[in-house]
Amino acid sequence: MADRAYINSRVLKWARESAKMQVEVAASKASVPVSKLEKWEEGLSQPTIRQAQNLAKAYRRPFALLFLPDIPVDFQPLQDFRRKGSKTLGTASVFIIREIQQKQAWISEVNEENGEPKVPFIGKFSVTDDPVMVARDILETLEINPLFYVMDNPIKEWIDKAELKGIFVSRTSFVHSRLTLDSDELQGFAIADSYAPFVFINTDDWNAPQLFTLVHELAHLWIAKSGISNAVQPVLEDKDKYDPVELFCSEVAANALMPKEYMLRIESASMKTPGEVFGISKRLGVSSFAFLVRALKLNLITVDEYRYLKKEADKGFQDFLRQEENRKARQKEREGGPSPYLLRVNKNSRLFTQIVLDAFKGGSLEPNLASNLLNTPTNKFPKLEAQLYK
């Protein structure tokens, strides 16, 4: 008979519920009927060690946690700034938030203990300040000129410049291959910590909305408002459905990515066709929709022109997405998919990966902890390191 795991039934139930996992799904992870899992959670019987280990893995909790005498104190949930009526956060969203919180808590403690200076711009402004001033400060701090990007890929330039200033940027669309993120639930979140500010971006979209989300989340850091976001975009209508903080941060993002002085220099004649709008917005690294909203707010186009151009841009965008899908499929056939180690570096954040690897190689970080922090066996660390410079 297999050895039983004499775990705490209350902790077992809490672990499942905090993972936002239905009992039917959890039972399948342990390959048992629902009735048996319910008995474990009621303390009427005990799982085998293997079954308990499978559940701990499914809930992304340490196995030893199930033996604690009481429910542990978990990470505080991030403030929910999402649009009213948004979908309840699912398992994937909960897991990615928890994973980033774990990384952030570790590096924040390390930086504070090592006497590292606080990041000076966290909370430098508030939601009552002028979003134009906040946008200008972000651009000056990161040393970015949105009119003259150095790289062909604006979002990579923004990430590189942000991490040079001590902001950890994590990007992914999945927790693992069978658990993907839903952008309707979560587009991004920010942890506005003075020792280790973190920004997360859901990559379940193309680069332009990701860039807008990134700058939106940076605005959260500048006003020290940690929280999660969705429906991140310039807003024209139904403003009552959005949190004031979200409206402010989107206004900051619009001013940073599409500065007023540049917008006013664009000839109105250059905004008369969807092709022209797409060309300008692509140079700025934003979506046609974001550009049109900005142009309308600055009275560079009329409401009728906005409606026409948006309708045509929506059609063109669908064509663009189909072309992108075809291009990616052809590229995958030729080269295969992106390296799993590159995806892992992006998910961990390049800056975070570099710090952990340096600490591990310097002997100040135990192998098990380094492996857990980077979600990678230590014998695969050279493959991670090789991706840092690509």
Side-chain angles (χ1 to χ4, degrees):
M1 180 179 291
D3 290 337
R4 296 287 162 181
Y6 292 95
I7 58 177
N8 185 326
S9 59
R10 291 177 59 247
V11 173
L12 182 68
K13 184 175 183 179
W14 165 83
R16 175 180 63 78
E17 291 178 342
S18 65
K20 302 291 184 181
M21 193 175 292
Q22 296 297 319
V23 67
E24 293 82 6
V25 176
S28 70
K29 302 290 185 182
S31 302
V32 297
V34 170
S35 58
K36 182 164 286 191
L37 176 57
E38 290 175 336
K39 286 183 179 179
W40 297 343
E41 291 186 351
E42 292 169 9
L44 301 177
S45 64
Q46 295 287 349
T48 66
I49 291 176
R50 174 63 62 84
Q51 289 167 333
Q53 287 174 331
N54 287 341
L55 288 173
K57 183 178 179 181
Y59 302 153
R60 300 183 79 82
R61 296 287 187 179
F63 178 51
L65 178 142
L66 300 180
F67 294 86
L68 291 177
D70 206 347
I71 293 171
V73 177
D74 207 2
F75 286 107
Q76 289 297 314
L78 294 176
Q79 188 166 347
D80 193 345
F81 290 117
R82 298 180 305 152
R83 182 175 173 173
K84 292 179 182 177
S86 295
K87 295 166 66 174
T88 301
L89 292 178
T91 300
S93 296
V94 169
F95 281 177
I96 198 64
I97 291 171
R98 187 194 303 162
E99 180 177 332
I100 298 303
Q101 284 182 312
Q102 289 169 340
K103 295 181 194 300
Q104 189 279 326
W106 177 80
I107 192 61
S108 178
E109 183 177 349
V110 167
N111 284 345
E112 186 173 5
E113 288 181 351
N114 289 343
E116 296 291 337
K118 290 184 177 182
V119 179
F121 47 78
I122 302 299
K124 186 175 181 180
F125 295 92
S126 76
V127 74
T128 59
D129 285 312
D130 184 352
V132 176
M133 289 175 55
V134 181
R136 188 176 297 124
D137 195 75
I138 290 174
L139 292 173
E140 290 175 354
T141 300
L142 302 188
E143 299 178 20
I144 287 178
N145 185 340
L147 311 184
F148 300 101
Y149 286 121
V150 177
M151 300 181 181
D152 292 334
N153 187 354
I155 191 168
K156 187 176 188 309
E157 184 167 337
W158 273 87
I159 291 171
D160 288 351
K161 291 292 185 68
E163 295 210 314
L164 280 173
K165 296 297 181 180
I167 301 169
F168 298 86
V169 181
S170 166
R171 296 170 71 210
T172 190
S173 62
F174 60 89
V175 176
H176 53 67
S177 59
R178 297 180 302 279
L179 192 59
T180 57
L181 294 168
D182 184 345
S183 57
D184 288 337
E185 286 180 18
L186 177 72
Q187 273 184 270
F189 61 83
I191 303 176
D193 180 80
S194 294
Y195 287 101
F198 250 90
V199 164
F200 173 80
I201 307 300
N202 183 352
T203 58
D204 183 29
D205 214 331
W206 62 297
N207 279 351
Q210 283 184 51
L211 176 56
F212 198 92
T213 299
L214 170 60
V215 184
H216 173 103
E217 299 304 333
L218 291 176
H220 273 269
L221 300 183
W222 257 253
I223 60 172
K225 290 290 185 181
S226 301
I228 61 176
S229 308
N230 72 346
V232 178
Q233 59 187 358
V235 179
L236 280 178
E237 302 173 340
D238 299 327
K239 290 189 176 182
D240 59 314
K241 294 183 179 180
Y242 294 83
D243 188 285
V245 169
E246 291 298 272
L247 293 174
F248 180 86
C249 290
S250 286
E251 192 66 22
V252 171
N255 276 279
L257 292 167
M258 298 168 281
K260 181 178 179 180
E261 55 270 27
Y262 172 76
M263 297 291 291
L264 294 178
R265 289 204 305 267
I266 300 174
E267 295 289 338
S268 59
S270 301
M271 297 187 230
K272 297 302 181 184
T273 70
E276 290 165 341
V277 168
F278 179 79
I280 298 171
S281 58
K282 187 177 181 181
R283 287 200 301 274
L284 292 169
V286 300
S287 67
S288 295
F289 170 71
F291 177 80
L292 288 171
V293 172
R294 181 76 168 139
L296 179 61
K297 286 186 173 182
L298 293 173
N299 297 314
L300 300 177
I301 56 175
T302 66
V303 173
D304 288 342
E305 287 172 332
Y306 166 79
R307 288 172 179 164
Y308 163 72
L309 290 169
K310 182 179 181 303
K311 182 179 178 180
E312 294 302 311
D314 287 343
K315 293 178 185 177
F317 179 62
Q318 295 306 316
D319 292 337
F320 168 76
L321 288 181
R322 283 191 289 270
Q323 292 171 7
E324 280 291 289
E325 288 299 320
N326 292 335
R327 182 187 65 78
K328 289 179 181 178
R330 291 193 299 271
Q331 183 179 13
K332 189 172 183 179
E333 287 178 3
R334 292 194 307 268
E335 307 170 5
S339 163
Y341 296 99
L342 175 61
L343 295 176
R344 210 166 297 177
V345 165
N346 289 338
K347 182 182 178 187
N348 291 328
S349 124
R350 286 178 179 270
L351 177 59
F352 185 85
T353 301
Q354 184 69 74
I355 290 173
V356 173
L357 288 176
D358 288 347
F360 170 73
K361 289 189 292 185
S364 62
L365 191 59
E366 294 180 358
N368 283 344
L369 179 54
S371 178
N372 288 335
L373 287 169
L374 297 180
N375 307 112
T376 305
T378 53
N379 65 342
K380 301 297 183 183
F381 279 6
K383 292 184 179 291
L384 276 186
E385 189 166 24
Q387 298 298 327
L388 287 174
Y389 310 106
K390 292 186 177 180

